Amino acid sequence: MPEFNKGQLEAIHHVNGPMIALAGPGSGKTTAIVYRIKYLIEEAHINPANILVITFTRASAKEMKDRFMSLDVLNNERKRTGDLSQSDKSSGRNTECSVTFGTFHSVFFYILKTAYGYNAGNIISSDDKYKLIRELITKSGLEYDDEDEVISDILKEISLMKGDMIPVEHFYSSVIGEEVFRDIYKEYQNCLVHNGKLDFDDMMVYCYELLKQRPDILSSLRKRYKYILVDEFQDINKLQYEITKLLAAPDNNLFIVGDDDQSIYGFRGAKPEIMLGFGKDYPNVKTTLLGTNYRCSRNIVDGSEKLIKHNKARYEKRLSSSGDYEEPIYIHHVKNRNEENSEILDTIRKYHEEGIPYSEMSVIYRTNAQAGNLVKILMDYNIPFYTRDKVPCIYDHFVVKNIFDYINAAMGSRERSLFLRIINRPNRYISREMLTEKDFSFDDMIKRYEGKDWAQDNLIQMRYDLETLSKLKPYAAVNFIRKAIGYDLYLKDYANYRHLNVDDLYEVLCELSEMARQYNSYIEWFDSIEIYRRKLEEHSRQDREDNREGVAVTTMHSAKGLEYDVVLIPEANEGLTPYKKAVLPEELEEERRMFYVAMTRARHHLHIYEVKEYYNKELTASRFLDEILG
């Protein structure tokens, strides 16, 4: 049996009533949880079938179950009582493990399946959900350029609305107009109901409604699940919490484990306020602290604690490390992203030469969009890596596609669809209805606008611009399209119309421009893009197949729960981390929690990079750096 500290023992030996176990990073919470289940069964003589353990991911549920099964508790208990196996058979439960381990969704879906006869075929797939929203926004007449982004944002808002239990009439969309959003949402729900489908959030909505309307079912579930344990409680949303409270009442044997300092899923409705307010809902709650970090060296624990203490909405806690002071936290000040990527590459190689496997290293970004440059360099230098998030391919961004449309037109393409995309970017006041032929012809279009000198002048100027563009090298071409043709001005108007930050779009073009510098011809550039796409797809396929070898390139959100010997955090700058969209105090506190999570993924070696300049624009170092140094 492992040797436990005071906080772990308090968690393990707790039996009845509510308890919060505040579990800092690397604090051995999983070990404490499985030994608490063992204690409930062997010492408190709780029937395993009365214990429900809820996690947020299938992987966590499986790990928890596997760790528990390795203790061989149930076989020992069967030998002691001689009758549990018969009880298991009569209940219809899996006799291998009478304790129920599951995610919120799997537990709630089991309840719905039992009550309503739902099966897996009733759950709408991600692809079908995406297609349905696309059809609905097309039907609404909503104009957009980046289809994936708009659909993804709408689906996130629908999920957030359901999880926060907000009536659609009171929900204000930040993506599209309120009325348009409400119409799309109502049609979306009608389509689901009409086709006998539900999405993952509906599992929670329907389960809550069922338990509120059917006291007989609720009573049956309460008798069955007398002891409820929730892991990663800081990630819970309002609806999940309300259902959990219903199931736990009236005995309230509710044991929650989590760390409010690692609550980083606000976009999904997770709020640290739920965990911070647990004591108000359960005044008799007992609290214990799992405050020893068995993962990180002392310097990393001290630095991360200095950082997170700047948050106000948190439980006060004193954390310590089981390890010694090792090397300091390295903070690198670099001129630009090229220098940053070069230093990251050198650091990875250095540690690998010292014997640390690539798989024990991770580069952790604030957003997946930041990783594109490094991914290309890792591919160029044959450094094995995998991505935990889909790295957006810059060549798929709509502004880049527009640039390539211009270049392809300059190279001779006359496809109608291509000219439909660029003819009014910038606005030349050419009606789309005038482009009726399969192939575009300047001569024909100029004739059609006979008597309208302004339109003819615009068409003549466009033809001249394409002729000029055909003679330029890639780097000069990108800048010619932006400045001489006027694409930047078009983007400014577009961003104002869509309430976007135009600098985000300009940054994409700046990155494209830098990539174009090294090529002397369009053919050479396009050939390299095909190679890059092919390599990126190979890596994506490996990630999908869980063939994960090499350096982990990930976001702060996806890094949670993981650990590495070496962690590198790039671009610790204002506007990047904390992210520019974080303005309100609670948003800035979540940004700080994300940085805290990233730092505490490192066992021994932590490198943080601050960039002085971003595409000739001066940047400010992240406020988090001063906070770490204390």
Side-chain angles (χ1 to χ4, degrees), residues 72-135:
D72 209 27
V73 174
L74 298 179
N75 280 336
N76 294 336
E77 190 65 3
R78 288 187 180 102
K79 291 174 184 176
R80 185 184 72 81
T81 64
D83 63 358
L84 271 182
S85 60
Q86 185 60 40
S87 170
D88 290 342
K89 288 176 184 177
S90 64
S91 68
R93 300 296 292 159
N94 181 353
T95 55
E96 290 182 2
C97 181
S98 299
V99 178
T100 299
F101 293 86
T103 64
F104 274 106
H105 287 113
S106 68
V107 171
F108 295 166
F109 190 63
Y110 173 78
I111 293 171
L112 293 177
K113 185 168 64 174
T114 304
Y116 296 138
Y118 281 121
N119 57 55
N122 293 111
I123 303 172
I124 188 171
S125 69
S126 297
D127 287 344
D128 287 343
K129 188 162 60 170
Y130 183 96
K131 289 174 185 174
L132 177 54
I133 294 295
R134 182 170 58 190
E135 290 171 6

Side-chain angles (χ1 to χ4, degrees), residues 207-268:
C207 189
Y208 178 73
E209 292 173 349
L210 172 71
L211 298 182
K212 293 289 284 185
Q213 295 166 8
R214 292 287 302 274
D216 56 324
I217 293 176
L218 178 58
S219 175
S220 174
L221 289 167
R222 285 172 173 173
K223 288 176 183 176
R224 178 171 176 179
Y225 298 129
K226 295 180 180 179
Y227 291 83
I228 300 175
L229 186 153
V230 182
D231 188 22
E232 302 287 4
F233 189 80
Q234 75 279 348
D235 295 337
I236 203 167
N237 66 28
K238 183 178 179 180
L239 185 52
Q240 290 165 339
Y241 184 41
E242 291 300 322
I243 297 171
T244 303
K245 286 194 294 184
L246 280 175
L247 292 174
D251 294 335
N252 296 326
N253 296 322
L254 181 56
F255 181 87
I256 67 168
V257 185
D259 182 6
D260 53 300
D261 290 333
Q262 296 185 71
S263 179
I264 62 172
Y265 296 116
F267 67 94
R268 302 200 298 226

Side-chain angles (χ1 to χ4, degrees), residues 46 103 164 223 282 384 410 438 452 524 593 604 615-616:
I46 305 300
T103 64
D164 275 350
K223 288 176 183 176
Y282 300 97
K438 181 181 178 183
K452 297 180 179 179
E524 182 187 357
R593 292 194 293 269
H604 307 292
Y615 303 125
N616 299 317

Side-chain angles (χ1 to χ4, degrees), residues 363-427:
V363 184
I364 304 178
Y365 286 92
R366 169 60 182 85
T367 68
N368 59 357
Q370 295 170 261
N373 270 348
L374 180 67
V375 162
K376 187 175 187 306
I377 289 169
L378 293 174
M379 288 193 292
D380 289 344
Y381 284 88
N382 292 316
I383 302 293
F385 75 94
Y386 67 93
T387 56
R388 292 189 56 84
D389 310 84
K390 182 182 178 182
V391 177
C393 179
I394 186 174
Y395 304 118
D396 290 332
H397 197 289
F398 81 90
V399 300
V400 175
K401 288 180 178 180
N402 284 170
I403 297 296
F404 288 165
D405 283 336
Y406 266 107
I407 292 173
N408 283 320
M411 294 172 69
S413 174
R414 289 296 178 265
E415 290 182 16
R416 175 179 177 271
S417 59
L418 183 153
F419 275 84
L420 281 171
R421 290 193 294 270
I422 63 174
I423 195 72
N424 286 314
R425 298 182 182 184
N427 203 340

Side-chain angles (χ1 to χ4, degrees), residues 406 425-426 428 465-466 469 480-487:
Y406 266 107
R425 298 182 182 184
R428 298 180 177 90
D465 288 340
L466 294 179
L469 197 57
F480 182 81
I481 296 167
R482 294 184 65 184
K483 306 300 181 184
I485 291 180
Y487 189 71

